Amino acid sequence: MTLQTIILAAGKGTRMRSSIPKVLHRLGADPLLGHVYRTAATLKSDAIYIVIGHEAEAVKNSFSFEPIHWILQDRQLGTGHAVQQVREHIRDDATVLVLYGDVPLLASATLQKLLDKVRSDTLALLTVRLDNPLGYGRIIRNPQGKVLAIVEEKDASDAQKNIAEVNTGVLAVQGKPLRHWLNGLGNDNAQGEFYLTDIIASAVRDGFSVETLETPDPYEVLGVNNREQLACLERQLQHRQAAWLMEQGVSFRDPARFDLRGEVAACGQDVEIDVNVLMEGRITLGHRVRVGAGVHLKNVTVEDDTEILAYSVLEDAHVGAGSRIGPYARLRPGTVLEGDVHIGNFVELKAANVGHGSKINHLSYVGDSSVGSGVNVGAGTITCNYDGANKHRTVIEDGAFIGSNSQLVAPVTIGRNATIGAGSTITRDAPADQLTLSRSRQLTVSGWVRPVKQVKK
């Protein structure tokens, strides 16, 4: 089967009250249109056509690396008019699937079931039953249950408005009859627009069977017209992602207070995630990982038996097995920790490699550094890696002990098992197995009196 997919994405989205095109508003990690395009791509479409209009260049630029056929709709005169813009590209022998760029949660499995209903004399239509169908086109059936037509809300009679089964707009049909029906579309309706739904009546008139697939999940076909609906679908997306993770063996203290804006590429068993955790990009979690409240992970790999304590932020980092991070720690891009590393409260690392069993427990900054195994970095230590123009690297070899409140001015190497005395400023390499310190002489001034604030008269 040759499959051509058309995604309608030309609307302005006036009710969003935004300068950003509606289909570029984000749901999770991706624009609304990105969700729809990715779903279409899973169906192995031979060609994907996206009809654009409002801020067309901005939409195109957001997907510049994707193999998309862009079709411009200069004037937005309805869904039928939008599909008409693709008419010359539609192949007679293809199955054509019509989707919408603002309906992001539609599952590929649902669409495949819809496509399976398409025959040479059959049009397949996706429907849903709503408790409140206000605003949707109603499915009109004869007494035998056969679909006769779709009536839009503004053209519907009072009796028709009571119909709960509504059109989602998603349909699939062979290309040859679709091209024929598109040619016959008119705009004699309350909106003065060319409705794609009018092809249903044309199909019935031509002896086609209209087969419906009713989705039991209204959120799957809910479109976004305003920010409230966007927020509603965001929570639905997060609920589904949390549910999938729980199936993989993750325990949430409260799955309603979890956000994933990306993907968990791999996840071990018995992972525990506390409340208000945000994960972005590509995340890999090993077995028995524990993630504390308020933690933010972005493009991070966390190996087995690691604990990340509350309110820590990790980005573009790799954490080895058995490590303990935080609370309130920050691992910036390029940080790689081997196993059993302890990074404590208010410690910041950037482009740092830290060896097995090393500890940086309190109030320190270690950047552009290579830290060996078994190193202990005392509280308040700073690697001074930036001279105002260039970055330089600090090397701390295995077993070194860095006393509290030390400054290591790069480029500098601290030798194996070296000890740096507390309060030192180290500007030259420190030899292995020896104590190195740099302190001013302590001085006590006899007879000194602390100044007293003068009382104003």
Side-chain angles (χ1 to χ4, degrees), residues 277-347:
V277 169
L278 169 61
M279 296 182 182
E280 295 186 276
R282 185 179 176 86
I283 304 295
T284 300
L285 302 175
H287 299 298
R288 299 170 298 280
V289 169
R290 291 186 291 171
V291 182
V295 167
H296 181 185
L297 304 179
K298 183 176 182 180
N299 298 321
V300 171
T301 294
V302 183
E303 295 185 11
D304 297 351
D305 300 302
T306 290
E307 183 175 15
I308 303 173
L309 299 176
Y311 303 106
S312 296
V313 179
L314 287 67
E315 179 181 0
D316 294 313
H318 186 114
V319 180
S323 294
R324 188 174 186 270
I325 312 298
Y328 297 99
R330 185 181 182 194
L331 272 55
R332 291 170 57 191
T335 296
V336 177
L337 310 182
E338 295 184 15
D340 296 314
V341 171
H342 289 188
I343 303 298
N345 51 288
F346 303 105
V347 172

Side-chain angles (χ1 to χ4, degrees), residues 73-92:
Q73 183 186 18
D74 287 321
R75 294 185 299 161
Q76 283 75 65
L77 300 177
T79 53
H81 181 257
V83 177
Q84 283 178 338
Q85 310 311 301
V86 193
R87 182 170 41 196
E88 64 183 67
H89 302 282
I90 295 174
R91 292 174 47 178
D92 286 350

Side-chain angles (χ1 to χ4, degrees), residues 37-97:
Y37 172 75
R38 187 168 60 246
T39 299
T42 65
L43 298 171
K44 296 181 172 54
S45 300
D46 294 274
I48 297 177
Y49 300 90
I50 300 183
V51 181
I52 51 178
H54 178 68
E55 295 288 345
E57 288 304 312
V59 177
K60 287 175 64 175
N61 291 338
S62 297
F63 297 88
S64 57
F65 298 105
E66 301 294 349
I68 296 169
H69 301 276
W70 297 101
I71 305 295
L72 181 64
Q73 183 186 18
D74 287 321
R75 294 185 299 161
Q76 283 75 65
L77 300 177
T79 53
H81 181 257
V83 177
Q84 283 178 338
Q85 310 311 301
V86 193
R87 182 170 41 196
E88 64 183 67
H89 302 282
I90 295 174
R91 292 174 47 178
D92 286 350
D93 61 344
T95 296
V96 180
L97 174 66

Side-chain angles (χ1 to χ4, degrees), residues 1-2 20 140 144 172 247 305 398 425 441:
M1 178 186 72
T2 299
I20 301 170
I140 309 300
Q144 291 73 42
E247 291 176 0
D305 300 302
D398 295 349
T425 299
R441 180 182 176 188

Side-chain angles (χ1 to χ4, degrees), residues 81-323:
H81 181 257
V83 177
Q84 283 178 338
Q85 310 311 301
V86 193
R87 182 170 41 196
E88 64 183 67
H89 302 282
I90 295 174
R91 292 174 47 178
D92 286 350
D93 61 344
T95 296
V96 180
L97 174 66
V98 179
L99 303 176
Y100 296 82
D102 60 356
V103 181
L105 296 187
L106 196 51
S108 56
T110 299
L111 292 175
Q112 188 59 60
K113 291 178 182 177
L114 187 73
L115 291 169
D116 290 343
K117 290 180 174 290
V118 176
R119 301 287 185 272
S120 60
D121 60 350
T122 301
L123 182 149
L125 185 66
L126 187 63
T127 70
V128 66
R129 292 183 185 274
L130 299 176
D131 293 335
N132 179 14
L134 181 67
Y136 286 85
R138 307 309 200 272
I139 303 297
I140 309 300
R141 296 178 182 268
N142 67 13
Q144 291 73 42
K146 296 293 185 181
V147 175
L148 298 178
I150 297 173
V151 177
E152 296 297 334
E153 169 86 22
K154 293 186 177 181
D155 301 306
S157 67
D158 290 340
Q160 290 170 334
K161 289 179 180 178
N162 290 326
I163 296 172
E165 185 185 19
V166 301
N167 174 44
T168 67
V170 177
L171 59 84
V173 68
Q174 287 199 338
K176 185 174 181 179
L178 176 60
R179 286 167 57 93
H180 171 66
W181 298 328
L182 288 173
N183 290 334
L185 285 180
N187 63 345
D188 184 18
N189 51 62
Q191 291 288 91
E193 294 184 348
F194 297 88
Y195 294 147
L196 183 62
T197 50
D198 286 348
I199 71 170
I200 305 303
S202 299
V204 172
R205 181 197 63 214
D206 290 349
F208 273 64
S209 173
V210 177
E211 296 291 331
T212 59
L213 175 67
E214 183 179 319
T215 174
D217 181 6
Y219 290 107
E220 189 176 21
V221 292
L222 184 64
V224 173
N225 293 301
N226 55 48
R227 294 180 188 267
E228 182 180 4
Q229 291 174 337
L230 181 64
C232 175
L233 287 189
E234 179 70 33
R235 294 294 5 123
Q236 277 297 312
L237 174 66
Q238 298 304 337
H239 169 75
R240 294 174 187 208
Q241 293 181 143
W244 181 84
L245 286 170
M246 286 188 281
E247 291 176 0
Q248 312 310 307
V250 175
S251 290
F252 289 96
R253 289 299 179 92
D254 184 355
R257 289 186 282 172
F258 167 75
D259 286 272
L260 173 60
R261 300 173 191 163
E263 64 169 332
V264 177
C267 185
Q269 294 181 344
D270 299 313
V271 171
E272 298 179 12
I273 298 178
D274 212 325
V275 299
N276 299 325
V277 169
L278 169 61
M279 296 182 182
E280 295 186 276
R282 185 179 176 86
I283 304 295
T284 300
L285 302 175
H287 299 298
R288 299 170 298 280
V289 169
R290 291 186 291 171
V291 182
V295 167
H296 181 185
L297 304 179
K298 183 176 182 180
N299 298 321
V300 171
T301 294
V302 183
E303 295 185 11
D304 297 351
D305 300 302
T306 290
E307 183 175 15
I308 303 173
L309 299 176
Y311 303 106
S312 296
V313 179
L314 287 67
E315 179 181 0
D316 294 313
H318 186 114
V319 180
S323 294

